[in-house]
Amino acid sequence: MTVQFYKYQGTGNDFVIMDNRNADIHLSTAQINHLCDRRFGIGADGLMLLNTLSGYDFEMKYYNADGNESSMCGNGGRCLTRFAYDMGIHKNTYRFLASDGEHEAEIDDKKWIRLKMKDVDHITHYNGDTVLDTGSPHYVKTVQDIMNLDVYNEGKTIRNSKDFAAKGINVNFVEQEPKHIIVRTYERGVEDETFSCGTGVTAAALVFAHNEKGFNRVDIQTKGGKLAVEFDKINDQQFSNIWLCGPADFVFKGEITL
């Protein structure tokens, strides 16, 4: 079977995308894992299918690099919105369904993709750190000298600790600067550091809100580039109107035989 694929990236978080609106693409876990392999396949942090779904502009189906279907991917949602636009689906506001429910997305005048994330209504404090779900589960840890941190080993240790090993968790290390935060993330399913993680920077931004209540905008630096998260803080446990904002770019397209 020969399939056409497209490669997109959002601040270095890269994805293989396929247009499955005809519902004719059926991939096994092993095939997805192969496609995402950086030495023997195309290479990506994950794979997405653009599906048709009644009542929505499209459906987002997301798979981790290990080949398993996964929870929400924020940068993936932004890249899939850009892909939908490039495939001729032109809207002022997109409505699509992902694993964690309905999302909205917009393309602003700077060509950044603004993706509305799910509301957050619960944050857990854990050993001095923070755990919350922004569509995917995240662990947020404050650190110093973040660029010299061993994110792979530190993240792997937390991800595989007894409280999180069964379901897995994404681990975000955050350093606070005067006007922004720096975030590095170890992602489950990839089982390595990625250059950026959309749901991860969203989680970090909520934890590092600068206004006690009301509107917040947090600027974020990742290894792959700059993002921003805008949201309304209701209280220390509740956040609404959350938007993940950043670039999403086409890289290349091709065909591969499976």
Side-chain angles (χ1 to χ4, degrees):
M1 176 177 67
T2 299
V3 293
Q4 187 174 56
F5 69 88
Y6 300 77
K7 183 76 175 285
Y8 279 71
Q9 62 87 16
T11 54
N13 203 187
D14 59 340
F15 308 96
V16 172
I17 303 180
M18 296 179 181
D19 186 351
N20 192 39
R21 286 176 290 175
N22 292 327
D24 54 358
I25 298 175
H26 305 282
L27 300 172
S28 68
T29 300
Q31 286 174 324
I32 295 169
N33 178 245
H34 171 71
L35 289 168
C36 292
D37 190 286
R38 296 191 183 278
R39 284 179 166 75
F40 300 102
I42 301 164
D45 293 327
L47 180 145
M48 291 183 287
L49 299 178
L50 180 75
N51 291 340
T52 298
L53 185 63
S54 178
Y56 294 92
D57 296 313
F58 58 88
E59 179 191 33
M60 171 183 174
K61 188 67 72 172
Y62 179 75
Y63 300 87
N64 278 331
D66 62 9
N68 293 309
E69 188 172 348
S70 186
S71 51
M72 180 58 185
C73 175
N75 285 332
R78 293 189 309 97
C79 284
L80 197 63
T81 299
R82 170 70 69 186
F83 178 68
Y85 179 87
D86 291 345
M87 291 296 103
I89 305 175
H90 294 169
K91 300 279 185 174
N92 291 324
T93 300
Y94 293 85
R95 289 179 62 251
F96 68 90
L97 195 69
S99 61
D100 64 337
E102 183 178 308
H103 290 265
E104 295 178 20
E106 303 168 349
I107 303 177
D108 70 15
D109 56 3
K110 296 179 181 179
K111 301 302 182 183
W112 270 30
I113 308 294
R114 293 169 43 83
L115 175 67
K116 190 172 186 181
M117 308 294 284
K118 62 175 276 188
D119 290 348
V120 172
D121 59 10
H122 182 68
I123 288 180
T124 301
H125 297 288
Y126 180 93
N127 292 343
D129 301 321
T130 310
V131 175
L132 65 160
D133 193 308
T134 54
S136 289
H138 282 276
Y139 189 106
V140 178
K141 183 177 184 66
T142 303
V143 298
Q144 300 297 321
D145 195 20
I146 191 169
M147 299 316 295
N148 290 316
L149 183 71
D150 185 352
V151 169
Y152 175 79
N153 285 305
E154 295 283 346
K156 183 178 180 181
T157 298
I158 295 171
R159 180 257 185 269
N160 290 296
S161 60
K162 61 181 180 64
D163 288 339
F164 304 115
K167 294 183 178 180
I169 197 165
N170 303 285
V171 185
N172 305 275
F173 301 95
V174 185
E175 182 171 359
Q176 188 166 22
E177 296 287 336
K179 294 185 178 181
H180 68 281
I181 59 174
I182 305 170
V183 182
R184 295 178 65 186
T185 303
Y186 178 97
E187 284 199 51
R188 66 172 185 173
V190 179
E191 304 307 332
D192 203 347
E193 181 181 8
T194 55
F195 269 50
S196 176
C197 174
T199 54
V201 300
T202 301
L206 300 185
V207 173
F208 282 81
H210 47 77
N211 293 329
E212 287 300 315
K213 289 185 179 181
F215 177 78
N216 279 260
R217 176 187 167 96
V218 177
D219 292 305
I220 302 112
Q221 179 70 53
T222 70
K223 287 185 73 175
K226 295 180 179 179
L227 294 164
V229 179
E230 298 176 350
F231 56 92
D232 292 326
K233 181 176 179 179
I234 300 169
N235 54 49
D236 288 340
Q237 290 287 320
Q238 295 178 297
F239 305 82
S240 65
N241 201 29
I242 304 167
W243 291 83
L244 170 66
C245 315
D249 297 308
F250 167 75
V251 183
F252 64 88
K253 67 178 181 179
E255 292 184 344
I256 191 167
T257 301
L258 299 172

